[in-house]
Amino acid sequence: MPEATRLDELPSKELHDRAMALARERRDVGFLWELLRAIPAAAASLGEVDRATFDLLHGLSLLEEFTHAGESDLAEALRPLYISYLAEHGRPGD
């Protein structure tokens, strides 16, 4: 998967921004839902178990996390999701 290899070289913030732009362009609610579902696991993978538990139990908090999913360590933990989505649905050269 050469596209995924090239994408892996990008910063996490850029991966997030590209994936979100592509999802908006495609009106891909499925990807947005997948991202919302992945955020608690990404937070847990960073050792932020309390944050992950809170996100699971409080939908509004999860929506807040969603708005910041391209920032800091959370973006790093979500890199595989962004790379996979962009490699599968993105246009070459984007």
Side-chain angles (χ1 to χ4, degrees):
M1 224 197 288
E3 179 69 10
T5 301
R6 186 181 68 77
L7 289 168
D8 194 41
E9 297 171 0
L10 298 174
S12 298
K13 174 69 172 143
E14 186 170 346
L15 288 170
H16 167 269
D17 293 349
R18 286 183 180 204
M20 294 304 295
L22 180 59
R24 275 191 297 274
E25 178 183 312
R26 297 180 72 235
R27 293 169 175 70
D28 191 347
V29 176
F31 172 73
L32 301 178
W33 179 246
E34 185 177 353
L35 176 58
L36 283 171
R37 290 182 28 201
I39 288 172
S45 77
L46 299 171
E48 299 179 15
V49 178
D50 291 339
R51 178 180 176 183
T53 302
F54 186 84
D55 286 347
L56 284 171
L57 299 175
H58 299 88
L60 291 176
S61 172
L62 190 54
L63 290 174
E64 175 68 20
E65 293 280 11
F66 175 77
T67 63
H68 298 287
E71 302 169 5
S72 68
D73 292 340
L74 187 58
E76 293 297 321
L78 291 165
R79 283 179 66 82
L81 179 65
Y82 298 139
I83 290 170
S84 174
Y85 183 71
L86 290 166
E88 184 176 343
H89 300 289
R91 294 175 303 275
D94 275 354

